[in-house]
């Protein structure tokens, strides 16, 4: 096992709070949600495992209360309800290939299906996603959602792409420092509140008001 | 790859900026040393990123020396020396430039590219000799690009495939260590950056391609029919952005899996730099010039 402090990117002797903070930050970074459509998700999982081990070790060592935010393996996506009975076997097979990352085999099976409903476009979207054809993937997933608006599995797939984009954007904003610390408005509010409280108690915080 | 991958300089620390400059100058000098002074005009930021990334993945300790330069003979600057990552990037830069020139000649002809190609010929031969596989990768990418464009491909993703694949192989082959997961990660970073570059360049170039009647995948995919170009750009920007951000999100997600030196600079480029560029290009709908600032070269020159 690597030095657990090194894994978490902290100095030796960091407080329990510090460890927790570093851990949370890392879990957020390597969370399976971030890598849902990334073919390197297995590596992210490994990394997360290492982080979890390091954290467990340090927490045990610190003999503090048990940690709460451990990461649990995500359950497999549920199967859709609306299905065409005749092609069911083919769809199942295609799904297995998609999950394995064998896009060529999955595509070959999809091409054999003549009736093209929501699930067909959904699976095709997943195949495109795996390949990195994001534009085509989004088009397919949108078609799937339009065809079966009540299917949450299709919707989730589309949302996960949009979420990843939002996550990237918000990381940029955070790094630029737009969200760090209270803004001017919040500061003013706090000061006025402080002033009111002080005045209630007979003191004063801002003389002129 | 011609100058889209840049840091957001305001957000860099001074020491990071200096080191980045060191890598930039180091690449320039390396090209000059191996391929002749004139080759240094082909220097571009994307290659600097490539060199920096590879140097950081291999954990190279930068050897810095203060030297003067032809561009500014009086002021001596810090320059990164003896970096295999940078030397590799120099080779790639020369190879890509040569193929681009060849392509310009096929497209437009004219004396300038013909002359430049002659200048680069010797450098190309040298670079191709030491990197036979890479030369082959680029050549095959160019030829599949040409055939895609000839058939008038109307899917941006499909049109971007040769370039993205080429970038994938270039990055993966730049790794010489023995961690098996690293080439895979580098490859996926390359694929996504390649895709991003190709699409952003296509968006940036639409006006020019309409004027010259050149192939542009976005014009094909979204069926441009002589409407006002500003309206057209505005109407597709949102959809194009989804794909671009997804590519960046995947690239940065992969980047986080690497054990890297110079994390500050590289993250700056991957987050602030590339996001900033995306915003600027997509929002610059009204602009006459590319990205509203003329600091890029076309990449889709390659292969048409």
């Amino acid at each position: 096992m690597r030095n657990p402090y090194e894994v978490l990117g902290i100095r030796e002797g960091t407080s329990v709070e510090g460890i927790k903070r570093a851990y949370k930050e890392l879990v957020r970074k390597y969370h399976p949600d971030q890598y849902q459509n990334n073919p390197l998700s297995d590596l992210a999982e490994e990394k997360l495992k290492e982080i979890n081990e390091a954290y467990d070790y340090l927490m045990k060592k610190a003999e503090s209360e048990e940690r709460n935010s451990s990461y649990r393996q995500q359950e497999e996506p549920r199967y859709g309800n609306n299905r065409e009975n005749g092609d069911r076997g083919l769809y199942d097979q295609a799904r297995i290939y998609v999950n394995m990352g064998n896009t060529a085999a999955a595509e070959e099976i999809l091409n054999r299906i003549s009736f093209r409903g929501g699930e067909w476009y959904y699976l095709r979207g997943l195949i495109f996603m795996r390949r990195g054809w994001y534009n085509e993937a989004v088009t397919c997933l949108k078609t799937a959602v339009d065809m079966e608006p009540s299917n949450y599995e299709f919707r989730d797939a589309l949302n996960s792409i949009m979420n990843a984009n939002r996550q990237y954007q918000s990381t940029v904003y955070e790094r630029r420092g737009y969200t760090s610390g209270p803004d001017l408005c919040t500061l003013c509010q706090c000061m006025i509140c402080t002033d009111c409280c002080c005045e209630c108690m007979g003191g004063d915080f801002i003389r002129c008001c | 790859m011609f100058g889209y991958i840049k840091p957001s300089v305001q957000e860099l620390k001074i020491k990071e900026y200096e080191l980045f400059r060191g890598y930039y100058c180091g690449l320039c000098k390396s090209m000059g040393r191996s391929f002749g002074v004139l080759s240094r005009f082909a220097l571009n930021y994307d290659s600097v990123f490539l060199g920096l990334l590879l140097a950081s993945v291999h954990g190279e300790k930068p050897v810095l020396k203060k030297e003067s330069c032809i561009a500014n003979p009086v002021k001596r600057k810090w320059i990164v020396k003896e970096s295999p990552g940078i030397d590799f990037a120099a080779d790639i830069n020369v190879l890509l430039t040569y193929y681009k020139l060849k392509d310009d000649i096929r497209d437009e002809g004219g004396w300038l590219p013909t002359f430049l190609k002659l200048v680069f010929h010797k450098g190309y031969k040298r670079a191709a000799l030491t990197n036979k596989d890479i030369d082959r990768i680029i050549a095959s990418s160019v030829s599949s690009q040409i055939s895609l464009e000839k058939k008038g491909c109307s899917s941006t993703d499909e049109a971007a495939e040769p370039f993205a694949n080429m970038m994938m192989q270039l990055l993966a082959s730049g790794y010489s260590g023995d961690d098996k997961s690293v080439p895979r990660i580098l490859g996926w970073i390359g694929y996504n950056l390649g895709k991003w570059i190709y699409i952003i360049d296509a968006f940036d170039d639409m006006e020019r391609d309409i004027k010259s009647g050149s192939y542009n995948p976005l014009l094909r995919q979204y069926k441009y029919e002589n409407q006002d170009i500003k309206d057209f750009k505005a109407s597709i920007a949102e959809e194009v952005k989804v794909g671009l951000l997804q590519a960046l999100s995947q690239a940065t997600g992969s980047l986080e899996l690497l054990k890297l030196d110079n994390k500050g600079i590289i993250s700056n480029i991957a987050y602030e730099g590339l996001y900033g560029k995306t915003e600027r290009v997509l929002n610059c709908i009204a602009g006459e010039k590319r990205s509203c600032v003329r600091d890029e070269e076309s990449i889709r020159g390659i292969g048409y």
Side-chain angles (χ1 to χ4, degrees):
Chain A
M1 189 170 161
R2 261 173 72 201
N3 178 353
Y5 289 102
E6 203 181 293
V7 172
L8 296 180
I10 47 180
R11 259 180 307 173
E12 246 167 83
T14 306
S15 67
V16 175
E17 284 308 307
I19 296 173
K20 280 187 179 164
R21 215 176 310 127
Y23 172 72
K24 271 190 190 150
E25 188 64 28
L26 288 172
V27 167
R28 202 172 60 113
K29 201 185 225 174
Y30 295 109
H31 195 273
D33 285 354
Q34 307 293 346
Y35 290 89
Q36 230 172 38
N37 300 306
N38 194 319
L40 305 174
S41 57
D42 55 319
L43 297 177
E45 238 165 73
E46 262 170 42
K47 192 117 187 164
L48 200 54
K49 211 175 129 209
E50 195 183 30
I51 291 164
N52 276 330
E53 275 168 11
Y55 179 74
D56 283 344
Y57 176 81
L58 288 181
M59 279 295 125
K60 253 183 222 148
K61 200 171 144 213
E63 288 176 350
S64 71
E65 63 277 74
E66 82 281 36
R67 71 203 171 96
N68 39 16
S69 56
S70 110
Y71 139 71
R72 302 248 178 286
Q73 189 76 33
Q74 284 215 318
E75 50 187 291
E76 284 289 295
R78 273 163 291 106
Y79 283 47
N81 295 325
N82 306 337
R83 45 190 63 172
E84 274 59 59
N85 290 330
D87 295 326
R88 189 64 257 156
L90 288 176
Y91 275 124
D92 288 343
Q93 235 175 324
R95 261 176 204 271
I96 292 169
Y97 281 127
V98 169
N99 288 337
M100 275 164 42
N102 187 348
T103 55
E107 190 172 36
E108 196 266 319
I109 290 174
L110 280 193
N111 286 339
R112 279 196 263 150
I113 298 175
S114 47
F115 179 82
R116 293 177 178 184
E119 189 169 11
W120 191 87
Y121 282 100
Y122 164 72
L123 287 174
R124 195 165 167 75
L126 294 189
I127 293 172
F128 277 135
M129 207 53 213
R130 267 271 171 173
R131 277 198 196 144
W133 290 33
Y134 311 123
N135 189 297
E136 302 282 342
V138 168
T139 311
C140 282
L141 291 175
K142 275 187 180 157
T143 314
V145 170
D146 284 345
M147 284 173 138
E148 293 178 34
S150 59
N151 188 311
Y152 281 100
E153 191 184 20
F154 303 170
R155 225 170 258 272
D156 276 353
L158 190 58
N159 283 342
S160 80
I161 297 173
M162 300 304 175
N163 281 339
N165 287 0
R166 267 195 292 276
Q167 177 65 31
Y168 172 74
Q169 264 171 305
S170 67
T171 312
V172 174
Y173 291 139
E174 265 167 44
R175 289 176 51 89
R176 281 178 183 162
Y178 290 159
T179 50
S180 66
D183 57 15
L184 201 60
C185 211
T186 325
L187 275 179
C188 285
Q189 273 174 5
C190 287
M191 280 164 79
I192 288 168
C193 281
T194 315
D195 185 47
C196 287
C197 288
C198 286
E199 277 165 7
C200 284
M201 309 298 278
D204 198 5
F205 180 64
I206 308 170
R207 289 246 178 100
C208 58
C209 127
Chain B
M1 41 199 270
F2 295 51
Y4 282 100
I5 303 185
K6 268 171 146 176
S8 164
V9 175
Q10 316 82 297
E11 312 274 348
L12 279 177
K13 286 182 187 154
I14 304 279
K15 65 172 182 187
E16 290 170 341
Y17 176 70
E18 299 248 316
L19 188 60
F20 183 77
R21 283 294 302 262
Y23 274 103
Y24 183 86
C25 295
L27 178 60
C28 187
K29 290 239 167 179
S30 167
M31 283 170 73
R33 207 167 39 242
S34 313
F35 308 112
V37 178
L38 280 169
S39 73
R40 293 167 69 171
F41 285 102
L43 176 73
N44 73 66
Y45 279 104
D46 302 351
S47 308
V48 181
F49 177 75
L50 175 68
L52 173 67
L53 180 63
L54 290 176
S56 309
V57 166
H58 290 100
E60 287 177 16
K61 291 276 157 285
V63 184
L64 284 157
K65 284 207 182 101
K66 228 169 189 179
E67 279 182 15
S68 58
C69 158
I70 318 180
N72 192 346
V74 186
K75 200 176 165 201
R76 283 150 59 84
K77 291 179 189 150
W78 288 110
I79 285 163
V80 174
K81 291 279 195 186
E82 296 153 26
S83 156
I86 282 293
D87 292 342
F88 179 78
D91 287 359
I92 301 270
N93 197 331
V94 168
L95 288 174
L96 283 173
T97 309
Y98 182 78
Y99 276 98
K100 163 110 172 59
L101 287 170
K102 226 166 129 182
D103 201 71
D104 286 352
I105 296 170
R106 192 171 42 232
D107 269 4
E108 303 148 31
W111 63 271
L112 188 62
T114 317
F115 168 72
L116 286 175
K117 189 181 154 234
L118 279 176
V119 170
F120 270 88
H121 191 74
K122 223 170 144 195
Y124 163 75
K125 280 274 170 224
R126 269 175 87 167
L129 207 66
T130 40
N131 303 283
K132 283 204 183 89
D133 292 340
I134 288 166
D135 184 44
R136 220 169 300 134
I137 290 167
I138 300 176
S140 89
S141 147
V142 168
S143 71
S144 31
Q145 191 81 56
I146 293 172
S147 61
L148 269 173
E149 294 186 3
K150 266 204 189 118
K151 85 172 205 225
C153 170
S154 65
S155 154
T156 309
D157 277 324
E158 193 183 348
E161 198 64 5
F163 187 72
N165 263 332
M166 178 188 84
M167 289 284 286
M168 173 155 91
Q169 295 174 66
L170 288 187
L171 257 74
S173 61
Y175 181 69
S176 56
D178 38 35
D179 184 340
K180 287 217 175 58
S181 61
V182 172
R184 233 183 104 200
I185 299 174
L186 283 175
W188 194 237
I189 294 172
Y191 179 90
N192 281 287
L193 288 182
K195 172 146 278 184
W196 179 84
I197 294 174
Y198 184 87
I199 297 176
I200 202 133
D201 184 57
F203 194 90
D204 218 3
D205 253 354
M206 268 193 274
E207 280 100 337
R208 230 174 44 179
D209 288 340
I210 291 170
K211 259 185 216 142
S212 64
S214 309
Y215 171 83
N216 185 313
L218 292 169
L219 295 175
R220 295 285 174 122
Q221 176 166 353
Y222 296 100
K223 303 196 175 56
Y224 176 74
E225 280 153 352
N226 295 319
Q227 60 264 55
D228 185 46
I229 181 64
K230 283 175 203 164
D231 295 346
F232 181 74
K233 272 184 140 178
S235 70
I236 67 170
E238 210 36 55
E239 211 164 309
V240 173
K241 190 176 179 182
V242 173
L244 287 173
L245 289 188
Q246 185 59 36
L248 293 182
S249 149
Q250 299 250 347
T252 48
S254 313
L255 212 49
E256 300 292 355
L257 295 171
L258 286 174
K259 215 166 160 272
L260 280 180
D261 297 341
N262 305 316
K263 195 111 197 202
I265 311 176
I266 291 175
S267 300
N268 170 293
I269 297 174
Y271 289 99
E272 291 97 302
L274 296 184
Y275 181 72
K277 192 89 220 167
T278 313
E279 288 277 278
R280 249 170 292 139
V281 172
L282 290 180
N283 292 337
C284 175
I285 284 160
E288 302 294 311
K289 300 177 211 145
R290 310 173 75 238
S291 324
C292 298
V293 195
R294 264 230 67 109
D295 57 2
E296 286 95 24
E297 271 276 344
S298 170
I299 56 129
R300 278 166 327 96
I302 283 196
Y304 190 62

